Amino acid sequence: MELTEFIIKTITILVVFVLTLVIAMYSTWGERKVAGFIQDRMGPNRAGPGGLLQPLADAGKMFFKEDFIPALANKWLFISGPSLAMLTALLASAVIPFGSTFRYGGVEVVLQGVESNIGILYVFGVVALGVYGIMIGGWASNNKFSLLGAIRAASQNISYEVAMGLSLIAILMMSSSLSLGDIVAQQHGGNWNIFYQPLGFIIFLTCSFAECNRVPFDLPECETELVGGYHTEYGSMKLGFYLFAEYINMFVSSAIISVLYFGGYNYPGMDWVYNQLTASLGTTTGHNIATLIGTGVFFGKALFFIFFYMWVRWTLPRFRYDQLMNLGWKKLIPLAIFNIIITGASVLFLKPFITALLK
Amino acid sequence: MNPTLSFFYFLSFLTVLSALMVILSKNPIHSVLYLILTFFTLSGHYILLNAQFLAAVNIIVYAGAIMVLFLFVIMFLNVKDIHEESKNSLTKIAAAIVGGTVFVILFGAYRKTIIAPADPNTFDSQVGMIESLGKLLFREYLLPFELASILLLVAMVGAVMLGKREIGERHF
C-alpha cells in the first residue's frame, strides 16, 4: 500500500513538473503572439504551424551557443546562479491544487503535488528564495553593472514581498487555514475571495508583477543605466534559464492568484454538472470527468492571468526606480495594513451581524 | 537503521559540515552562502520533528530576509581586502583560546544534561503543527506574544527614525 502511494505521488509530482515546464515554454510563444497581436503584426510564424515549434527552436539555439564564462568570474557561483533561479521557480508549483480528486479502483488521488498544512507559507518561502539566484549570478559575474542590477532586482523583490505577505494575511484571517487545498475548498459555490478581498487582490497582483520582474516593474533590466542588468555576462542556456525562470514564475503566480482569489478549480454551476455527470456515468467515471472539467477551468483562469501579464507588458510604460520604491513602501504597505484592519473588523463584527440577519 | 534515523544523521552531518565551512571559507560571500545552507538543514531538522510551521518561518525570516541583507552588505563592502591584514597571530591565538573554552564548557554542560525520554503512549505528533502552535500562542502565552510584538514595533519605529532624512540634510 505504501509503495503504491509512493508511486502515485511520484507520478503526480512528475506530471506537475512537466506541466509547469510545458506551460512556461509555450508562454514564451504566447508572449510573442500577444505582442504581435497588440502591435498589429504576425508574431512567430515560421517554425511549424502558427510558429508552434518556436520554443523548441529557441531552446535548440540556446543549447548550441558557446557556453562562455568570464575569466575573472567566480565559476561555481556563476553556474549556480541560473540553476538556483530555475530551482526556486519550479519548487513553488509543488503545493498548488490543480483539481479535486481522481478515483481509480477505490483509491482517491488528489491532484496536487504535496498537500501540506503550511502550503501558502511554503510558497511564500520559496518566493523569498528567488532572490538568491539573481544575487549570486549578479555577484559572480564580477561586473559592476551585473552587481548593481542584481542589487536592484533583489531590493525590489524584498520590498514587494512585505506588501505581498501583508495582503495574504487578510486571506488567511478569513480562511483560518494555511493549506491551499482548504482555501480552495472554502471558495466552493461562488464564494470566491475576490468578492471579499478586492483591495487585497489588487495589492497581491501588483506585488506579483514586481516579484516576477515584469513590466511595469522590470527595472532590473535597463539598457541605458545597467546594460543588461544581472544577466549582462550570461549567454547560451544559462541566460535561457534566467529568462525561462521568469516565465515559470509567471505561471506559478498566475496559478496562485487563481487559487487564492478566484476559487481555483471551482466554477459556477459546479454541483449541477457534478450531479448530472455522476447520475449518467456512475460515481467513478462521472467524478473523474467532473474533476477534469474543474482542472480545465483552473488552467483557464491561470492562462488568463498569464495573458494579463503579457497584456500589461505591451500596454503600460515602466516606472522609475524611486517611483517603484515609493509605491511599494509608502502606498502598498499602508494599504495592506488598512486591509488587514478592515478584514479583522468585518470578521469580528460584520460577519455575526450578517449571519444573524440571514437567519 | 530506519529511514528517519539515517536521514537525521545525514542532515546532522550536512549541518555541521556547512556550519564549519562558514568559518573555514576564506571568501565572506561563500561564508554567507554556507550559512544559508545551514539554515536549510536546520529547517530539515524541524521538519523531521514535525514542526512544519517553524521550518517554513525559519526559511522565510532567516534565509529569505536576513541573509539577503547580509549578502547585500558584504557584496557592497567588498570585505576581502581589509580582511587579510587584520589576521595576525595574536588574534588567532586569542580566538582559538576563547572558542576552545566555550566548546569545553558547552561539551561539559551537554554531557551532564538528562533528556527526558518521550513516552510513546502520551506523545502527540501533532504538537508542532500550526493549529496547536497558534492555540498555545494566543491562549496561554498571549501576554508574552503581545509584548514581543510591541518590542518589534518599537524596533521598527526606531529603525525608521534612524533612517529618516533630517531637515536640511543633503539630498544625494
Side-chain angles (χ1 to χ4, degrees):
Chain A
M1 185 60 213
E2 212 165 57
L3 190 68
T4 38
E5 238 173 63
F6 186 71
I7 292 170
I8 288 170
K9 267 288 163 229
T10 315
I11 292 172
T12 334
I13 288 171
L14 272 180
V15 167
V16 167
F17 184 67
V18 170
L19 261 178
T20 316
L21 283 179
V22 167
I23 287 180
M25 203 166 106
Y26 273 92
S27 304
T28 60
W29 171 81
E31 171 115 23
R32 292 162 173 204
K33 276 288 182 194
V34 169
F37 173 67
I38 288 177
Q39 297 168 350
D40 200 15
R41 52 186 174 84
M42 292 292 282
N45 61 355
R46 298 289 142 159
L52 269 177
L53 296 177
Q54 190 67 44
L56 292 180
D58 285 343
K61 176 201 153 201
M62 289 279 193
F63 272 116
F64 286 115
K65 279 178 96 169
E66 188 192 353
D67 198 6
F68 184 76
I69 297 178
L72 287 174
N74 190 321
K75 196 177 168 215
W76 284 109
L77 292 182
F78 191 78
I79 296 170
S80 66
S83 326
L84 274 176
M86 273 298 268
L87 180 77
T88 49
L90 281 167
L91 272 175
S93 61
V95 291
I96 297 170
F98 288 93
S100 66
T101 53
F102 255 124
R103 275 185 199 151
Y104 184 76
V107 186
E108 294 237 339
V109 182
V110 185
L111 287 184
Q112 186 179 9
V114 185
E115 164 62 34
S116 158
N117 67 346
I118 51 155
I120 190 66
L121 273 185
Y122 170 83
V123 173
F124 200 64
V126 170
V127 167
L129 296 178
V131 182
Y132 284 116
I134 292 171
M135 283 193 80
I136 290 172
W139 181 80
S141 308
N142 202 5
N143 177 334
K144 291 274 190 300
F145 291 115
S146 297
L147 180 62
L148 284 176
I151 298 275
R152 209 184 231 204
S155 48
Q156 168 181 335
N157 274 15
I158 53 177
S159 308
Y160 276 78
E161 244 160 50
V162 182
M164 193 182 213
L166 287 175
S167 69
L168 272 178
I169 286 178
I171 288 269
L172 301 181
M173 281 161 83
M174 286 176 52
S175 67
S176 59
S177 167
L178 290 174
S179 152
L180 284 175
D182 281 356
I183 291 176
V184 173
Q186 281 171 5
Q187 297 179 54
H188 183 75
N191 236 347
W192 294 0
N193 278 334
I194 175 76
F195 302 127
Y196 303 103
Q197 293 288 341
L199 183 61
F201 167 66
I202 289 170
I203 297 169
F204 190 85
L205 190 70
T206 318
C207 294
S208 55
F209 271 97
E211 292 288 321
C212 297
N213 291 337
R214 295 285 299 183
V215 177
F217 301 103
D218 65 335
L219 273 299
E221 236 177 294
C222 183
E223 305 234 319
T224 48
E225 295 161 20
L226 291 172
V227 193
Y230 57 87
H231 50 58
T232 305
E233 297 283 356
Y234 280 90
S236 87
M237 203 53 205
K238 293 206 209 68
L239 175 68
F241 277 155
Y242 269 129
L243 301 183
F244 199 53
E246 179 183 313
Y247 284 93
I248 298 171
N249 278 331
M250 251 164 74
F251 167 65
V252 168
S253 57
S254 308
I256 296 283
I257 288 171
S258 50
V259 162
L260 287 178
Y261 291 95
F262 288 87
Y265 50 80
N266 294 304
Y267 54 95
M270 191 184 180
D271 289 329
W272 183 81
V273 172
Y274 183 80
N275 287 334
Q276 293 290 317
L277 279 171
T278 43
S280 56
L281 293 167
T283 44
T284 313
T285 330
H287 179 86
N288 287 347
I289 291 176
T291 305
L292 268 186
I293 295 173
T295 311
V297 169
F298 171 76
F299 277 111
K301 288 170 187 171
L303 291 182
F304 171 76
F305 278 105
I306 294 181
F307 169 71
F308 187 74
Y309 275 105
M310 294 166 184
W311 187 8
V312 169
R313 170 162 180 187
W314 299 105
T315 312
L316 293 184
R318 56 175 14 181
F319 282 109
R320 225 171 44 220
Y321 199 69
D322 61 318
Q323 289 173 330
L324 170 129
M325 281 295 164
N326 275 339
L327 179 73
W329 288 99
K330 292 186 185 162
K331 306 232 166 58
L332 289 183
I333 290 177
L335 264 183
I337 292 174
F338 174 72
N339 190 33
I340 290 175
I341 294 170
I342 294 283
T343 312
S346 322
V347 169
L348 210 59
F349 302 118
L350 207 61
K351 205 173 158 197
F353 180 68
I354 289 177
T355 38
L357 214 67
L358 287 178
K359 268 178 194 170
Chain B
M1 205 189 282
N2 65 350
T4 320
L5 200 62
S6 43
F7 197 63
F8 168 77
Y9 279 121
F10 175 67
L11 261 182
S12 308
F13 168 72
L14 217 61
T15 316
V16 174
L17 185 75
S18 48
L20 278 177
M21 287 309 286
V22 174
I23 48 173
L24 291 181
S25 51
K26 296 260 192 228
N27 191 332
I29 298 272
H30 289 175
S31 290
V32 172
L33 294 178
Y34 279 117
L35 193 55
I36 295 162
L37 192 65
T38 316
F39 283 126
F40 270 95
T41 49
L42 282 181
S43 274
H45 281 295
Y46 290 140
I47 290 174
L48 276 187
L49 293 169
N50 223 359
Q52 301 174 354
F53 177 71
L54 207 55
V57 168
N58 187 39
I59 293 285
I60 293 172
V61 174
Y62 284 99
I66 293 179
M67 295 321 289
V68 175
L69 295 180
F70 265 60
L71 263 187
F72 258 43
V73 172
I74 291 176
M75 280 177 181
F76 265 141
L77 286 185
N78 213 359
V79 195
K80 214 163 41 181
D81 311 332
I82 325 159
H83 198 63
E84 289 301 321
E85 41 199 80
S86 67
K87 257 195 205 162
N88 56 30
S89 55
L90 186 70
T91 40
K92 274 183 193 165
I93 292 167
I97 290 172
V98 171
T101 320
V102 171
F103 179 74
V104 166
I105 292 171
L106 280 180
F107 188 74
Y110 281 131
R111 224 169 57 90
K112 288 216 175 120
T113 41
I114 301 149
I115 299 159
D119 184 5
N121 297 320
T122 56
F123 179 68
D124 181 12
S125 67
Q126 303 299 307
V127 77
M129 293 290 175
I130 180 158
E131 288 89 357
S132 41
L133 193 73
K135 275 177 191 147
L136 209 62
L137 270 184
F138 285 101
R139 289 210 179 121
E140 284 175 46
Y141 297 101
L142 183 61
L143 186 66
F145 183 75
E146 295 288 341
L147 285 179
S149 65
I150 287 173
L151 190 68
L152 287 176
L153 187 69
V154 170
M156 201 171 80
V157 171
V160 170
M161 282 307 292
L162 285 177
K164 211 174 137 220
R165 201 180 293 124
E166 301 282 330
I167 301 164
E169 201 174 328
R170 252 177 53 132
H171 197 121
F172 53 93

